[in-house]
Amino acid sequence: MMKKAVNYNQPGAQERGVEMLATAVARLVGRCSCMSVEMRLRFMARLLDNFVDADSLPEPDRAASFSLEAVMQSAERDPEEAVTRAAQLLTRSLTKEQGLNRDGLYRFYDALFERLIPREMNPRFAAA
């Protein structure tokens, strides 16, 4: 019996993948006790900066996997550095490991923003 080939490039597959990635990252951020609303906004700002210049990000000193909790705890005295490093690692993961192009990065950003920023601070819901 022959198996039918599975086509993973179905319409909407990439969009669903971006949504799943954003949900997973939002859960990581939600579990990190140090990510207050202010730190979330800073993280999102750094992430957007990195998306603009994703090709010029410095390479990590060693092979580093994205662990928000580990990054934030390792730089407790310097939260700005922690947020910057976490955004760099996430951007690198999204572009290199997940293969997101520029459009995919911005779709990811929008999806993550909706999950991380409270409704009262989110401009999409300001008029509602």
Side-chain angles (χ1 to χ4, degrees), residues 99-111:
L100 292 182
N101 60 16
R102 190 164 303 277
D103 290 338
L105 288 174
Y106 290 116
R107 284 195 311 271
F108 171 83
Y109 182 87
D110 287 343

Side-chain angles (χ1 to χ4, degrees), residues 14-29 43-44 46-48 51 66 86-87 89-95 98-116 124:
Q14 187 176 23
E15 188 64 36
R16 287 188 301 276
V18 166
E19 293 287 328
M20 289 181 355
L21 285 169
T23 299
V25 171
R27 284 186 190 139
L28 285 173
V29 171
F43 176 68
M44 295 303 293
R46 292 297 185 307
L47 200 56
L48 191 57
F51 286 0
F66 179 69
L89 287 171
L90 179 58
T91 301
R92 189 173 296 107
S93 175
L94 292 170
T95 56
Q98 302 299 324
L100 292 182
N101 60 16
R102 190 164 303 277
D103 290 338
L105 288 174
Y106 290 116
R107 284 195 311 271
F108 171 83
Y109 182 87
D110 287 343
L112 185 61
F113 193 91
E114 286 183 13
R115 288 165 175 77
L116 290 183
R124 289 190 182 181

